[in-house]
Amino acid sequence: MGGTNMASPEQISLFDVLGVSTYQMNSPVLAAIDTLAASNNDEDRGAVFTRAEVVEFILDLVGYDAEEKLYNKKILEPSFGNGDFLLLIIDRLLKSWIKHSGNRGLIFAELSNSIRAIELHYETYENTKKAVIEKIKRAGVAKEVAVKLANAWLKQGDFLLIGLRENYDYVVGNPPYLRQEAIPEPLLKEYRLRYKTMYDRADVYIPFIERSLNLLNPKGTLGFICSDRWMKNRYGGPLRKFVANRFNLKAYIDMVDTDAFHMEVSAYPAITIISREKQGATRVSHRPKVDKNILKSLSKEILSQKISDTTKVREVAGIVNANEPWLLESTDQVNLLRKIENNYPTLEEVGCKVGIGVATGADKIYIQDFAELDIEEDRKIPLVTTKDIQTGEINWLGQCVINTFNDDGGLVNLKDYPKLSRFLYLHEELIKNRHVAKKAPDNWFRTIDRVWPDLTTKEKLLIPDIKGEAHIVYESGTYYPHHNLYYVTSEEWNLRALQAVLLSSIAKLFIGTYSTKIRGGYLRFQAQYLRRIRIPKWEDVSPELRQELIDAAKKRDIEKCNKAVFKLYELNQEERSALGGNGE
């Protein structure tokens, strides 16, 4: 989809109002749905199953309480899978019905509209339906009534396309973890037509959240556990804006490194409780132990009128702000970050350029040993990769990248480079099989990115994408960066001094706040997050502090970098403490 249009969906679509599917005559879409519905691989369908303790926790948080007359309410489970949510929902509904009604003659009339649950996968649907019928029967309900209730409650189909007439008081679940690459093209196109939040590289859980929110009654509440990537990254922008315009983020519980699922997942999961009401403060908690009693106690704290001083729950205002990333870190750190953003310009506004190294589309061909590669010397550019900078200094392993471009930006004429021509034609089949070559057959031998030889001779800071801590390496102007490295150059700031800033807790504050995280606590040091870092102008830095920054960076002494950088930003003792500093 791409582009910069981040329009928010503001109304339920026609196919919801009519209660019918509108893709019945579209055979490529039907075939794509059937492919997913018949798949025998859980990963192909994005299926991840949630532990019972976590399901009970979410049901508590949305207020689906068996003490209430739940048969007067409506709950939706949009992807019920093996029934992790659904079976516990039925437990609570039946318990509530027995407590408040119990009239066996009215059971179908009173309960048939209480639950709506959708599942795409054929075999999973049938197996879970049998489990639902057995659960109802164990409550003393006749088999024929149990079957009627299961038929009324459960629907087989694609939640994103199936017609639903009513709105709901609760929507809960664990939407599929399905990347765009796993969705057949006709189906992906259909999703994009229907859901404005299906933006850029959005995973399928994004439109799941959009449609679920659209199906809430006034005062209705959604409780999902899913990846938290959308809360900060680019593709989540339209959904964040949608939430900001019409809903309230009531609670956020970070579930990373907890045993929330029956299997280990690479996603960084979180529970979000979102209601259709005026925006207010958000209750926030981090990484609770998955224990029934602990989670029961935590839900009471999150739902309490007033938070106690001893609780691990915080109340944070202003998290949701148009399409801006949600900042869910400690209040002290967020306040400090906002202060710095208000007082200082961005990296690029003070003359620092952030970029990414060269992508070739076929590294095994275009990246070779410099000494052994037999092509014209001016076509070989010394290349630096993550392997060359593991120690924090450059230890070049002798690789180069082939430069297929001339100085004016066009491709070289292979007739002028017989050795290069011979090498490329040896690998012609593989090179022409790349997407970039198929897109422009006449330019079949170009690398994806243009190589700019001038960048080789510029001093620069090199930054790997994924790291637990900042890994900022100074490069004096000898090598070209590979695409697994980001780089920073500057005509104004001294790069050694800038290295001290990027090694400091200030840089980690920005990256940690804005970047999506990966299991194990790793951060993404990507250009979009690096560009958010704010920094004083070089001309405003005193000569003494300039030298202190440079010396600290050359020694790669993080403590000294922090000490100098805290002076640079004029942080008081409280602000230094928020970053783990000692206030010196």
Side-chain angles (χ1 to χ4, degrees), residues 342-382:
N342 289 333
N343 291 342
Y344 300 102
T346 64
L347 268 183
E348 295 197 326
E349 287 171 343
V350 298
C352 302
K353 179 185 176 185
V354 181
I356 189 170
V358 60
T360 68
D363 281 359
K364 289 184 178 179
I365 297 169
Y366 287 97
I367 296 175
Q368 298 288 330
D369 183 276
F370 191 101
E372 294 184 3
L373 179 61
D374 185 21
I375 65 172
E376 289 77 10
E377 289 298 310
D378 66 335
R379 296 297 95 200
K380 297 191 291 185
I381 306 289

Side-chain angles (χ1 to χ4, degrees), residues 273-479:
I273 307 299
I274 304 173
S275 58
R276 190 189 283 274
E277 60 185 0
K278 185 178 178 181
Q279 196 59 248
T282 303
R283 299 283 174 92
V284 176
S285 185
H286 292 276
R287 307 186 186 192
K289 183 177 180 181
V290 177
D291 172 89
K292 182 177 181 179
N293 293 329
I294 290 173
L295 293 178
K296 174 66 74 171
S297 175
L298 180 59
S299 68
K300 289 179 180 177
E301 292 174 3
I302 291 171
L303 296 172
S304 64
Q305 288 291 320
K306 187 176 180 181
I307 297 175
S308 69
D309 294 335
T310 58
T311 183
K312 293 183 178 179
V313 178
R314 294 183 294 110
E315 190 166 82
V316 183
I319 288 175
V320 178
N321 178 26
N323 61 10
E324 285 295 301
W326 291 358
L327 306 187
L328 296 148
E329 283 64 27
S330 79
T331 306
D332 289 346
Q333 290 190 353
V334 172
N335 289 342
L336 174 57
L337 182 134
R338 292 299 188 212
K339 175 185 171 183
I340 292 172
E341 288 181 329
N342 289 333
N343 291 342
Y344 300 102
T346 64
L347 268 183
E348 295 197 326
E349 287 171 343
V350 298
C352 302
K353 179 185 176 185
V354 181
I356 189 170
V358 60
T360 68
D363 281 359
K364 289 184 178 179
I365 297 169
Y366 287 97
I367 296 175
Q368 298 288 330
D369 183 276
F370 191 101
E372 294 184 3
L373 179 61
D374 185 21
I375 65 172
E376 289 77 10
E377 289 298 310
D378 66 335
R379 296 297 95 200
K380 297 191 291 185
I381 306 289
L383 186 76
V384 60
T385 72
T386 53
K387 292 181 181 179
D388 298 301
I389 64 171
Q390 289 180 350
T391 65
E393 300 286 351
I394 304 290
N395 292 298
W396 186 48
L397 298 177
Q399 290 187 307
C400 68
V401 63
I402 296 171
N403 182 13
T404 57
F405 293 86
N406 56 36
D407 292 342
D408 64 12
L411 286 172
V412 296
N413 187 334
L414 291 182
K415 291 180 180 179
D416 297 333
Y417 292 93
K419 290 184 177 181
L420 173 63
S421 178
R422 184 170 62 250
F423 177 85
L424 293 173
Y425 275 107
L426 279 174
H427 302 282
E428 180 181 7
E429 184 178 350
L430 283 173
I431 293 173
K432 286 185 174 179
N433 199 40
R434 299 171 305 148
H435 175 72
V436 68
K438 291 178 180 178
K439 190 176 177 182
D442 291 343
N443 298 333
W444 64 274
F445 60 90
R446 64 159 294 164
T447 49
I448 292 176
D449 295 331
R450 178 184 167 182
V451 174
W452 303 85
D454 286 352
L455 177 59
T456 310
T457 57
K458 284 186 177 180
E459 63 170 347
K460 60 192 80 73
L461 299 177
L462 303 172
I463 309 166
D465 177 358
I466 301 172
K467 276 289 178 181
E469 299 288 340
H471 190 73
I472 317 295
V473 179
Y474 175 79
E475 198 280 292
S476 61
T478 308
Y479 307 103

Side-chain angles (χ1 to χ4, degrees), residues 165-178:
R165 293 178 185 274
E166 60 272 274
N167 284 4
Y168 300 89
D169 301 287
Y170 316 95
V171 183
V172 296
N174 175 5
Y177 291 74
L178 195 63

Side-chain angles (χ1 to χ4, degrees), residues 12 29 43 83 116 198 200 228 304 321 499 527 529 534 570 572 581:
I12 297 174
V29 171
E43 285 189 21
R116 209 58 86 233
M198 196 73 180
D200 197 51
D228 74 345
S304 64
N321 178 26
Q499 183 184 19
Y529 309 127
R534 303 289 180 131
E570 299 179 341
N572 60 39

